[in-house]
């Protein structure tokens, strides 16, 4: 669809909009194409370093943010994106959606959420002329937004769309990746998420499409009233993933 030279490339993203669904829907339609355009700008495999992917993600996020302004979309969205190329995993994010990399010997939360009360984010916000206030039970930028970075929200100048980025070399020890919004992570312990996915994969009657639904139901049972999105990405064939 995106005519990338490497046909093994896989992309996954979770977008958690606020003030309605428009921002998440718009980012979903824009960001994959913008990222693909950046990736196609350099087709030399020898030059595809982690820095290349970092720059590609940053350009795509910032271009998507510019288009929000051009379209006069006043709301915004968090974003966590995963790009998998052969044995490399690249994660880029703004906001508080997360990505959990899971294997028998490793369970690694790859995302440090961009929350206004984090010292680094608070300093950046205040330097940009914004304030961090406690309102409606949470720390918020200018008393409004409870994340320090997002795509959109151009009325809040201290809220930026520059993503953070991590890269991980995948190996046979890695089984799956879970992407989710804060409506999942704030209510369901990571240990339960891991156990649920492993148990479901071991159940041959369980369809793969139904596994994220179990995670969403677990969040609802624990009184999550927020948007809840969960994506489970297998990093090897299902029959090769042994029960935990």
């Amino acid at each position: 669809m995106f005519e990338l030279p490497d046909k093994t490339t896989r992309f996954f993203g979770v977008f958690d909009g606020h003030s309605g669904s428009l921002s998440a829907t718009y980012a979903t339609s824009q960001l994959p194409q913008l990222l693909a355009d950046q990736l196609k700008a350099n087709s030399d495999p020898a030059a595809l370093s982690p820095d290349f992917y970092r720059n590609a993600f940053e350009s795509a996020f910032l271009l998507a943010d510019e288009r929000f302004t051009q379209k006069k979309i006043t709301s915004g969205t968090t974003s966590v994106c995963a790009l998998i190329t052969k044995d490399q995993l690249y994660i880029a994010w703004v906001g508080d959606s997360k990505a959990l990399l899971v294997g028998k010997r490793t369970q690694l939360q790859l995302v440090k959420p961009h929350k206004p009360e984090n010292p680094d984010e608070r300093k950046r916000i205040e330097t940009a002329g914004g304030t961090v206030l406690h309102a409606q039970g949470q720390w918020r930028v200018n008393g409004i937004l409870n994340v320090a970075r997002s795509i959109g929200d151009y009325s809040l100048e201290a809220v930026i769309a520059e993503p953070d980025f991590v890269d991980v070399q995948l190996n046979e020890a890695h089984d799956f990746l879970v992407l989710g919004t804060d409506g999942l992570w704030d209510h369901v312990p990571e240990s339960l998420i891991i156990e649920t996915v492993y148990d479901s994969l071991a159940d041959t009657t369980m369809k793969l499409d139904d596994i994220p639904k179990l995670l969403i139901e677990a969040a609802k049972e624990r009184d999550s009233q927020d948007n809840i999105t969960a994506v489970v990405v297998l990093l090897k064939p299902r029959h090769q993933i042994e029960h935990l």
Side-chain angles (χ1 to χ4, degrees):
M1 178 178 176
F2 298 111
E3 299 180 341
L4 291 175
D6 184 356
K7 303 301 182 185
T8 66
T9 300
R10 294 189 289 163
F11 173 87
F12 305 90
V14 167
F15 303 90
D16 185 7
H18 35 267
S19 301
S21 62
L22 174 61
S23 55
T25 301
Y26 187 66
T28 300
S29 71
Q30 293 291 313
L31 204 140
Q33 183 64 63
L34 291 170
L35 180 61
D37 292 343
Q38 296 298 317
L39 296 177
K40 286 186 290 187
N42 190 340
S43 58
D44 179 8
L48 301 185
S49 66
D51 281 345
F52 167 76
Y53 287 99
R54 179 193 298 271
N55 293 334
F57 267 115
E58 182 172 322
S59 296
F61 274 56
L62 295 178
L63 285 168
D65 188 61
E66 287 180 15
R67 293 189 177 184
F68 268 67
T69 303
Q70 293 166 1
K71 290 287 186 180
K72 298 293 191 291
I73 299 174
T74 57
S75 57
T77 179
T78 73
S79 171
V80 60
C81 297
L83 190 75
I84 301 173
T85 63
K86 297 185 176 68
D87 60 350
Q88 287 291 133
L89 169 65
Y90 305 99
I91 301 285
W93 74 94
V94 290
D96 54 6
S97 294
K98 295 182 181 181
L100 180 68
L101 179 62
V102 180
K104 293 297 183 301
R105 300 186 298 276
T106 178
Q107 292 90 44
L108 181 61
Q109 179 53 252
L110 300 174
V111 169
K112 180 182 178 182
H114 297 126
K115 302 299 287 184
E117 65 269 27
N118 292 351
D120 290 347
E121 293 296 330
R122 179 190 283 268
K123 181 179 179 180
R124 183 190 59 75
I125 290 165
E126 292 174 346
T127 300
T131 58
V132 177
L133 302 173
H134 200 262
Q136 298 174 298
Q138 298 185 68
W139 292 99
R140 299 174 182 270
V141 180
N142 293 0
I144 299 171
L145 188 64
N146 69 343
V147 291
R149 302 191 191 193
S150 68
I151 297 173
D153 293 303
Y154 65 83
S155 63
L156 297 170
E157 293 184 5
V159 176
I160 62 174
E162 180 181 341
D164 268 331
F165 175 88
V166 296
D167 64 280
V168 179
Q169 184 168 7
L170 298 174
N171 56 50
E172 69 281 354
H174 297 122
D175 290 332
F176 58 86
L177 176 73
V178 181
L179 305 176
T181 60
D182 62 321
L184 173 70
W185 305 107
D186 288 352
H187 295 268
V188 186
E190 290 183 1
S191 58
L192 180 58
I193 291 173
I194 293 168
E195 180 184 349
T196 299
V197 175
Y198 272 119
D199 288 348
S200 299
L201 290 172
D203 181 356
T204 56
T205 65
M206 174 72 67
K207 296 180 180 178
L208 287 177
D209 288 348
D210 289 336
I211 298 176
K213 297 175 185 177
L214 293 178
L215 302 180
I216 292 169
E217 287 303 316
K220 290 180 178 179
E221 290 171 1
R222 286 160 178 78
D223 201 33
S224 178
Q225 304 294 319
D226 202 350
N227 300 328
I228 313 168
T229 299
V231 176
V232 178
V233 181
L234 299 191
L235 300 174
K236 61 178 68 168
R238 181 176 184 173
H239 68 271
Q240 294 181 14
I241 299 177
E242 299 175 4
H243 191 266
L244 188 64

